[in-house]
Amino acid sequence: DKMTKDAQSCFLKTLEEPKEKTFLILIAEHPESLLPTILSRCQIIKFYPVPKKEIIDYLKKQGLDSSKIEEVAAAAAGLPGRAREIFLEPQKLTEIKKIISQLQEAMGKDLAFRFQLAKVLAEESNLLEVLKIWQNYLRGNLFSGKNIAILKQIQNVSRLIQSTNSSQRLGLEMIML
């Protein structure tokens, strides 16, 4: 889904005429961005997040301090590899908490504060990671229509930043509005 339309057209030839005994596995976060002719030649298999209980069980087997298991499992958002990464690099959990704290603070502040935060975040190299953390947090806290609207806007901006040459700051400002 990160390929340009021209690249997708070229890739279509490979899909139409694969070599004998060839399996191609395409992984797409946004399959709707693929050409319909590519989608029509694929069998779609959806992968869902691993249940939190399974991640907790895994973390217990790894010997993680029981006081941090819930936090790490929540921060992993159903991704076992992410849980392992956070387990092996404890500072990741601190970073995630800081990013969530920034979001919570921004939600309670005025537009000038939120735009200033957008300016700062737009200059960070890990913006897509920040947006994923925001998405995970909001998915776990869908108490209001406002959170759902913010979540949708974050998803749209993430997709635009990944697939186009869109302004990161403008995208963040759209979220902040």
Side-chain angles (χ1 to χ4, degrees), residues 4-174:
T4 64
K5 297 298 179 196
D6 289 338
Q8 289 184 45
S9 295
C10 291
F11 181 69
L12 191 56
K13 176 96 170 137
T14 303
L15 275 178
E16 291 172 337
E17 300 172 13
K19 293 186 178 186
E20 193 174 319
K21 297 184 181 180
T22 299
F23 286 94
L24 298 171
I25 300 173
L26 303 177
I27 299 173
E29 191 171 349
H30 303 286
E32 68 279 359
S33 299
L34 294 170
L35 294 173
T37 50
I38 289 179
L39 288 175
S40 70
R41 288 164 175 76
C42 295
Q43 178 181 356
I44 297 175
I45 301 171
K46 294 185 178 187
F47 294 92
Y48 296 98
V50 173
K52 189 174 178 181
K53 184 185 178 335
E54 288 184 36
I55 291 180
I56 289 171
D57 291 343
Y58 165 78
L59 292 169
K60 284 179 182 175
K61 288 177 187 172
Q62 299 302 310
L64 181 63
D65 178 7
S66 61
S67 67
K68 295 194 180 226
I69 287 179
E70 281 290 326
E71 281 184 311
V72 171
L79 303 173
R82 182 132 173 105
R84 186 172 193 282
E85 180 183 340
I86 296 168
F87 167 70
L88 294 174
E89 299 175 46
Q91 77 276 8
K92 291 267 186 199
L93 186 58
T94 304
E95 291 170 19
I96 291 169
K97 286 180 181 180
K98 178 185 169 206
I99 291 167
I100 291 171
S101 177
Q102 281 179 321
L103 174 64
Q104 290 170 330
E105 183 179 12
M107 290 174 78
K109 295 286 186 171
D110 64 7
L111 196 55
F113 177 90
R114 294 194 310 254
F115 271 30
Q116 183 59 35
L117 178 60
K119 179 182 176 185
V120 170
L121 290 175
E123 296 169 2
E124 300 221 358
S125 60
N126 66 338
L127 178 59
L128 289 173
E129 181 64 25
V130 169
L131 294 176
K132 282 182 184 180
I133 292 168
W134 286 5
Q135 285 177 334
N136 293 337
Y137 171 76
L138 290 170
R139 281 186 187 123
N141 296 287
L142 290 177
F143 301 131
S144 69
K146 180 180 177 183
N147 284 10
I148 293 170
I150 295 169
L151 178 60
K152 286 180 181 178
Q153 190 66 25
I154 292 170
Q155 290 169 331
N156 290 337
V157 169
S158 293
R159 188 173 63 248
L160 284 172
I161 289 172
Q162 287 176 339
S163 61
T164 67
N165 196 15
S166 299
S167 163
Q168 293 184 355
R169 183 172 174 183
L170 180 59
L172 284 165
E173 289 175 353
M174 289 170 46

